[in-house]
Amino acid sequence: MRQVHTFSAMVLLVTLLLIFVYSNLHLETSYSLRAGPEEGLKHPSDVKTQSPKQETHLTTPRPGVHHVSVSDSFRKTIPQNVAYWNRLLYSALRSLDKGEKPFRNATDWSRCREANQELLQTNVHDFKSYPALFQDFVQGMNCRSPPVLVNQPNKCNSAEGKRDNQTFLLFAIKSSPGNFERRQAVRETWGRERMYKSGLRVRTVFLLGSSSVDEPDLSPLLSFEARRFGDLLQWDFHESLLNLTLKMHMLLQWTLKYCPHASFVFSGDDDVFVNTPALLSYLQSLEPSKASQVYVGHVISTAVPLRDPKSKYFIPLSFYDGPYPAYAGGGGFLISGALLQPLHLVSRVIPFFPIDDVYAGMCFKAAGVSAEAHSGFQTFDVKEQDRENLCVYKDLILIHQRTPKQIKKLWNGIHSPLLTC
Ligand SMILES: *[C@@H]1O[C@H](CO)[C@@H](O)[C@H](O)[C@H]1NC(C)=O
Ligand SMILES: *[C@@H]1O[C@H](CO)[C@@H](O)[C@H](O)[C@H]1NC(C)=O
Ligand SMILES: *[C@@H]1O[C@H](CO)[C@@H](O)[C@H](O)[C@H]1NC(C)=O
């Protein structure tokens, strides 16, 4: 009798031990699956299996847990040559391949700028001939953690504080401090926060930098706006074209931290018109395997750097030499929530590029995702003769560039019961 007891106690012990070992093994494999950006990208809902503590650490991935890899097709697209950015990239890739900590150090915001002009000139022989703003960009390329001025930490929590009312689509709209009227037009129309039919929840944030000392101080107006509407995000970096890549980076970081369950994110400008119902039906029609790989918009596939110093998008040859990977125009494109983490990981290896949508395209390609064109995204506008035809807009998803008044008019127009197409 006694022996039987001892025996069953041992069987029990061994079983418990096996269960323990197995559950740990299981944890390991699910981790490495989640971590690899190229293998099975998971839908945001999969992240639910994590404990809340791990969720809050999503933005500071620990090496070893999240394995970064940069796709071969990205490496093939970007030539290895003497241009500064190309050299920076390949030096980061070499450390990555050697298994060294690939992540850039999160440099202190107050000390991230390269003040040593001589060093820059050694690296870039004609640095002095770069336009002043471009020099400024190069000096601040390692600045990635601006102070937060306005935040909405509870944006994606439902009113009941539960996570089950998931955000289906997050509109993350690039705006700038003075664009009050544009933001209001978006709030009253396509960016209105609501639950659409079939229970799809849409939420909206506007991403702002800060004004310079030479501009009027709008902060009292902005803090009123932020309280009244709860949709402003602001960081303390100067609002400018060449800082839009930093804004893109903050979009990824903010969403991973505060809205990690969003199924889709729309990144776009505050002066576009979006046909939200058409956009939602498109997203809803996607197969699950497709839905986790979305990088869709107006795709520019054969772009090269512009070498005219007077151009808005001028890139000096000694800075970057090579083509641009196919990318979706920054006026408005869609991202799967499942891709945010892989994008954020590769973005820590890829140096900042002065054009935000090109940079986004590089990160997607490095994460193994190609841009997909959708004819509903008209970032370069519709044909002249179609501009007044509401039926044309009814089937489109995005049109660039509209005034606040035009946005209101179009929105009311496509929703009019009198519209017959
Ligand atoms: C990151 O910081 C460590 C320690 O401060 C330093 O040794 C290393 O060179 C830095 N790496 C980069 C890429 O700056
Ligand atoms: C979301 O919240 C609403 C009430 O605000 C509730 O009626 C609905 O059932 C919730 N949806 C889910 C999926 O829990
Ligand atoms: C970007 O923002 C930083 C911080 O405000 C500023 O120092 C820098 O001049 C800005 N860069 C450009 C190119 O405007």
Side-chain angles (χ1 to χ4, degrees):
M1 207 48 199
R2 203 194 168 95
Q3 269 175 348
V4 171
H5 267 154
T6 320
F7 181 71
S8 19
M10 275 180 71
V11 167
L12 196 73
L13 247 168
V14 168
T15 314
L16 282 174
L17 199 73
L18 278 175
I19 289 173
F20 178 75
V21 166
Y22 179 75
S23 59
N24 272 325
L25 275 177
H26 188 68
L27 201 76
E28 283 292 320
T29 42
S30 55
Y31 252 130
S32 52
L33 267 180
R34 267 196 42 241
E38 297 206 83
E39 41 198 46
L41 287 158
K42 295 297 170 84
H43 198 257
S45 59
D46 295 342
V47 184
K48 275 192 193 134
T49 51
Q50 286 184 308
S51 72
K53 188 156 177 286
Q54 282 164 329
E55 276 172 29
T56 58
H57 283 91
L58 272 176
T59 50
T60 48
R62 287 153 295 168
V65 174
H66 294 285
H67 172 73
V68 187
S69 68
V70 169
S71 75
D72 281 337
S73 69
F74 175 70
R75 294 167 195 249
K76 283 196 192 103
T77 309
I78 313 287
Q80 201 166 344
N81 53 36
V82 296
Y84 185 53
W85 192 93
N86 304 59
R87 275 187 289 144
L88 285 178
L89 172 72
Y90 278 95
S91 136
L93 290 178
R94 270 191 300 275
S95 337
L96 180 70
D97 295 341
K98 271 191 274 173
E100 288 167 13
K101 220 163 116 181
F103 303 130
R104 284 159 187 286
N105 290 342
T107 325
D108 193 331
W109 181 250
S110 60
R111 283 179 298 155
C112 57
R113 286 181 68 77
E114 183 54 72
N116 187 344
Q117 294 263 347
E118 269 164 44
L119 180 73
L120 286 167
Q121 233 165 311
T122 319
N123 279 317
V124 190
H125 68 94
D126 57 350
F127 182 73
K128 279 251 170 71
S129 73
Y130 283 10
L133 277 176
F134 208 96
Q135 291 191 16
D136 191 31
F137 170 82
V138 175
Q139 288 180 282
M141 274 174 81
N142 286 323
C143 298
R144 291 171 170 238
S145 49
V148 180
L149 296 176
V150 178
N151 193 10
Q152 309 295 338
N154 296 317
K155 170 56 67 180
C156 289
N157 296 338
S158 62
E160 306 81 42
K162 275 182 282 167
R163 285 193 175 268
D164 49 12
N165 261 317
Q166 222 203 71
T167 306
F168 183 71
L169 174 64
L170 176 73
F171 281 120
I173 303 158
K174 294 175 279 179
S175 188
S176 53
N179 292 356
F180 297 103
E181 201 187 355
R182 289 190 189 176
R183 287 193 289 277
Q184 196 56 28
V186 171
R187 275 185 202 112
E188 291 179 7
T189 58
W190 58 267
R192 205 183 111 207
E193 298 198 305
R194 53 180 279 202
M195 180 94 87
Y196 276 82
K197 56 177 188 295
S198 51
L200 303 181
R201 187 171 285 283
V202 171
R203 299 186 205 266
T204 300
V205 283
F206 294 95
L207 290 84
L208 314 182
S210 54
S211 357
S212 76
V213 286
D214 297 330
E215 290 166 305
D217 179 15
L218 301 177
S219 51
L221 304 179
L222 292 172
S223 61
F224 170 78
E225 189 186 1
R227 256 181 291 126
R228 173 75 174 72
F229 299 105
D231 57 12
L232 293 194
L233 304 178
Q234 192 186 25
W235 290 273
D236 196 6
F237 63 83
H238 181 222
E239 188 70 61
S240 78
L241 184 73
L242 296 185
N243 266 341
L244 283 178
T245 296
L246 178 57
K247 198 177 267 188
M248 180 73 213
H249 182 73
M250 297 324 290
L251 186 164
L252 291 178
Q253 206 160 304
W254 185 88
T255 311
L256 276 170
K257 190 160 182 184
Y258 298 107
C259 205
H261 301 291
S263 305
F264 300 98
V265 178
F266 169 94
S267 164
D269 292 338
D270 60 3
D271 61 348
V272 298
F273 177 79
V274 179
N275 184 344
T276 309
L279 173 54
L280 292 174
S281 355
Y282 164 69
L283 290 174
Q284 241 188 328
S285 74
L286 297 172
E287 297 287 324
S289 61
K290 185 73 220 302
S292 63
Q293 297 283 311
V294 167
Y295 173 34
V296 170
H298 177 111
V299 174
I300 298 124
S301 50
T302 53
V304 290
L306 301 178
R307 305 299 190 191
D308 175 5
K310 288 196 285 294
S311 156
K312 186 176 167 190
Y313 297 110
F314 168 60
I315 300 291
L317 182 64
S318 63
F319 180 78
Y320 178 71
D321 188 2
Y324 292 154
Y327 65 96
F333 61 88
L334 295 165
I335 312 171
S336 290
L339 291 177
L340 295 170
Q341 179 73 337
L343 283 173
H344 185 251
L345 288 173
V346 293
S347 84
R348 297 178 76 185
V349 180
I350 301 173
F352 273 4
F353 195 82
I355 305 174
D356 65 329
D357 45 12
V358 172
Y359 182 72
M362 289 171 166
C363 292
F364 275 100
K365 193 159 185 92
V369 180
S370 314
E372 189 182 314
H374 187 301
S375 59
F377 286 74
Q378 297 288 331
T379 42
F380 295 138
D381 216 333
V382 291
K383 284 191 228 92
E384 187 77 48
Q385 69 265 29
D386 287 341
R387 297 247 168 106
E388 299 297 317
N389 182 354
L390 281 173
C391 291
V392 169
Y393 293 96
K394 230 178 134 86
D395 298 323
L396 288 176
I397 289 180
L398 177 137
I399 304 111
H400 203 220
Q401 206 176 19
R402 291 293 182 269
T403 65
K405 195 173 165 186
Q406 287 169 327
I407 288 177
K408 288 279 300 191
K409 221 175 136 190
L410 276 173
W411 184 258
N412 293 338
I414 60 167
H415 285 91
S416 164
L418 302 175
L419 181 65
T420 46
C421 295

